Amino acid sequence: MAVDVILGLQWGDEGKGKIVDFLAKNYSIVCRFQGGPNAGHTLKIDGNKYVLHTIPSGIFREGIVNIIGNGVVIDPITLSKEIENLTQTGIEFLSRLLVSNKAHLILPTHRYLDAASEASKGKQKIGSTLKGIGPTYMDKTGRNGLRVGDIKLASFNAKYKSLRDKHLALLRQYPPIEFDLEAEEEKWFKCLEVLKNLQAIDCEYYINKAITEGKQILAEGAQGSMLDIDFGTYPFVTSSNTITSGVCSGLGIAPQKIRDVIGITKAYCTRVGGGPFPTELFDDNGAKLGKIGMEFGATTGRPRRCGWIDIPQLKYTLMINGVTQIVVTKLDVLDHFEEVKVGTKYNIEGNETDELPYDLTAQQITPKYQSYKGWHTDMAGANDFDVLPPLAKDYIGQLEQLLGMRIKYISTGPERKSLIVRD
Ligand code: GDP
Ligand code: IMO
Ligand code: MG
């Protein structure tokens, strides 16, 4: 067994990129297994900030192979922009960036369909990143999609045109939206050449061979468990399995090959886009979390909704993922609060529970909070548990008790080195 998984336990943006970048040094291969350019994973290394959308967050570690797995959907335009940005940093990476033949392609018309579908939903809109994710996964499951391995086929252009025309017909069912297909197509085909030049692999063989050779592999999740297509706050979710099970289908490995599942939660909670969020704050504390935490989407720049950490929600995602190690990020953001709260249970129509109901929007959920005294000490950047103020240590201890699991890593700043590793 040599595959460890890092994934988000909330609604995304938990700090996955930072933690993957930190831990990647212990692995030979880092792989993305689902999602696409709806993800925005931020890394901060020696004062320089990088945002990755499709490329795995192990890319800054010299000598490590990074794989875009079959479960990922790729927009050649975003990918070639990312490649261009990385090239400018001067790191050597092209020979270490591999892509699965079975990963699906996002067409310009997938993005238009996303936009038209969202516009037609009015107030019920998901708040999609509009990167074409939903329509591309629909074509995948509908058995119409185009894959990386198709690019080299003589019939590729014909297949592209057929799918594009299907999309254009579908678009006519929606109120019109504006787009310039000719210009976008020209760009898309140009960027396809960049993708063509990457080494395409049969990811399932590559990874299983690496496992047999005893190599250590890290699977990097995108989005968060509460955005999972099956177990998230449906329909306000993304279109892939963001949970541990997605690693098996998204890379082609068997469940027993998975060793540790490293689940990440912020020390509070955020969500971007629509959908239920039981512990959301609409007061000064919510605004303060957003301001200090600089809670703006790494992909869309939209402000993230903020609230206190939610124990029933976390217990649920610990369960469905089989988490073996917990990471708490952004503890430093709570440095200057009078009090820090934790949602410990839900009150649903007079009944207290710590289980999530079938539909979080159907009933009125009132979270029950436990309040803790704030520590009022600047400990940003700390990488030793012993230097944390006693009240911050207590807060971590309380979370451990409520979650019934030890917290192994605590992140105290965006920088790679601002991380406490506990034995
Ligand atoms: P991801 O999508 O899970 O990789 O997370 P994002 O990159 O979208 O959002 C996390 C944001 O928090 C980024 O701006 C990170 O630089 C930042 N960040 C990560 N860990 C910490 C931390 O411990 N403290 C602070 N203050 N910021 C952090
Ligand atoms: P990372 O990997 C936070 C949200 C969108 C929207 C819903 C569906 O950076 O954590 P989609 O574009 O998939 O159709 O959007 O999911 N969403 C994310 N929220 N972080 C992400 O990725 C997200 N990717 C999608 O805001 O509510
Ligand atoms: Mg993000």
Side-chain angles (χ1 to χ4, degrees):
M1 293 202 297
V3 182
D4 292 338
V5 184
I6 290 189
L7 45 74
L9 296 176
Q10 298 170 308
W11 280 277
D13 304 327
E14 297 89 348
K16 298 175 291 292
K18 174 194 158 150
I19 303 301
V20 170
D21 168 62
F22 181 90
L23 292 177
K25 59 184 183 206
N26 306 326
Y27 298 86
S28 308
I29 303 172
V30 178
C31 323
R32 273 278 304 271
F33 59 91
Q34 47 68 233
N38 48 350
H41 294 180
T42 315
L43 283 61
K44 208 165 169 198
I45 308 167
D46 300 329
N48 297 312
K49 181 176 149 179
Y50 310 97
V51 181
L52 298 168
H53 301 285
T54 321
I55 296 176
S57 302
I59 203 75
F60 286 93
R61 296 287 189 181
E62 221 176 292
I64 293 178
V65 169
N66 285 255
I67 301 177
I68 302 169
N70 59 276
V72 177
V73 289
I74 301 173
D75 186 336
I77 298 179
T78 326
L79 180 62
S80 65
K81 181 84 197 137
E82 277 185 80
I83 289 176
E84 192 187 315
N85 290 344
L86 275 182
T87 306
Q88 279 166 13
T89 68
I91 63 161
E92 180 288 315
F93 69 96
L94 280 174
S95 62
R96 303 185 281 115
L97 181 60
L98 315 183
V99 57
S100 166
N101 274 316
K102 295 191 174 78
H104 279 246
L105 297 174
I106 302 176
L107 275 52
T109 40
H110 280 130
R111 277 190 279 115
Y112 304 156
L113 281 168
D114 216 355
S117 161
E118 279 284 82
S120 74
K121 285 193 167 121
K123 278 193 175 150
Q124 288 308 306
K125 71 174 185 196
I126 310 294
S128 165
T129 59
L130 304 181
K131 301 292 175 191
I133 305 297
T136 307
Y137 279 113
M138 278 166 72
D139 273 337
K140 175 178 176 173
T141 53
R143 296 160 293 181
N144 293 314
L146 286 181
R147 303 187 290 176
V148 169
D150 296 334
I151 302 173
K152 290 180 185 134
L153 301 180
S155 56
F156 181 75
N157 278 8
K159 282 183 172 207
Y160 169 84
K161 280 191 185 125
S162 155
L163 189 55
R164 177 203 62 189
D165 291 346
K166 207 179 274 181
H167 292 163
L168 292 173
L170 267 173
L171 278 165
R172 282 182 219 117
Q173 311 296 314
Y174 290 103
I177 57 158
E178 269 185 42
F179 54 82
D180 182 350
L181 182 57
E182 211 176 302
E184 279 293 302
E185 264 185 346
E186 197 188 321
K187 202 159 139 193
W188 194 83
F189 275 99
K190 210 170 130 204
C191 294
L192 206 62
E193 293 303 311
V194 177
L195 175 54
K196 233 181 188 170
N197 285 332
L198 293 182
Q199 192 187 329
I201 54 164
D202 291 324
C203 162
E204 59 280 33
Y205 279 112
Y206 188 99
I207 293 182
N208 281 290
K209 193 162 165 257
I211 294 172
T212 309
E213 288 166 357
K215 291 197 172 127
Q216 305 295 310
I217 297 159
L218 183 61
E220 171 181 5
Q223 290 78 56
S225 305
M226 295 303 289
L227 290 170
D228 181 85
I229 182 73
D230 283 284
F231 297 104
T233 45
Y234 193 87
F236 299 97
V237 292
T238 190
S239 299
S240 64
N241 280 116
T242 60
I243 60 172
T244 310
S245 65
V247 176
C248 297
S249 53
L251 295 177
I253 57 155
Q256 66 269 31
K257 297 287 189 311
I258 295 174
R259 183 175 53 189
D260 276 315
V261 179
I262 304 165
I264 312 185
T265 170
K266 284 180 185 169
Y268 50 98
C269 192
T270 64
R271 168 163 211 173
V272 61
F277 178 2
T279 59
E280 183 170 11
L281 292 167
F282 300 95
D283 60 5
D284 290 350
N285 278 329
K288 195 168 163 182
L289 284 171
K291 192 163 174 231
I292 303 178
M294 294 197 276
E295 296 295 354
F296 293 94
T299 297
T300 58
R302 292 176 293 175
R304 296 175 182 146
R305 299 153 64 192
C306 297
W308 299 121
I309 199 165
D310 180 339
I311 299 297
Q313 180 271 299
L314 283 175
K315 279 185 168 168
Y316 180 71
T317 54
L318 288 177
M319 173 182 78
I320 56 176
N321 285 303
V323 169
T324 61
Q325 296 180 2
I326 300 183
V327 185
V328 170
T329 57
K330 304 192 99 163
L331 186 66
D332 55 297
V333 174
L334 300 182
D335 276 357
H336 302 288
F337 281 77
E338 286 301 321
E339 67 170 349
V340 176
K341 287 191 181 178
V342 174
T344 52
K345 286 203 185 302
Y346 290 167
N347 188 312
I348 305 177
E349 292 168 358
N351 298 315
E352 237 175 51
T353 178
D354 61 358
E355 289 192 7
L356 265 59
Y358 162 66
D359 181 353
L360 270 70
T361 50
Q363 298 136 309
Q364 179 67 37
I365 299 176
T366 313
K368 184 181 160 192
Y369 290 103
Q370 181 77 43
S371 176
Y372 301 97
K373 202 170 168 339
W375 43 92
H376 273 288
T377 312
D378 187 347
M379 50 77 174
N383 46 24
D384 178 0
F385 190 72
D386 291 339
V387 307
L388 292 189
L391 287 170
K393 284 185 187 161
D394 287 352
Y395 179 68
I396 291 293
Q398 289 299 321
L399 292 183
E400 288 181 327
Q401 217 167 52
L402 289 162
L403 296 172
M405 250 182 98
R406 190 143 186 284
I407 291 166
K408 169 128 197 221
Y409 302 94
I410 301 164
S411 176
T412 59
E415 269 286 340
R416 179 190 267 177
K417 56 180 185 279
S418 305
L419 190 76
I420 297 169
V421 183
R422 297 166 81 201
D423 292 329

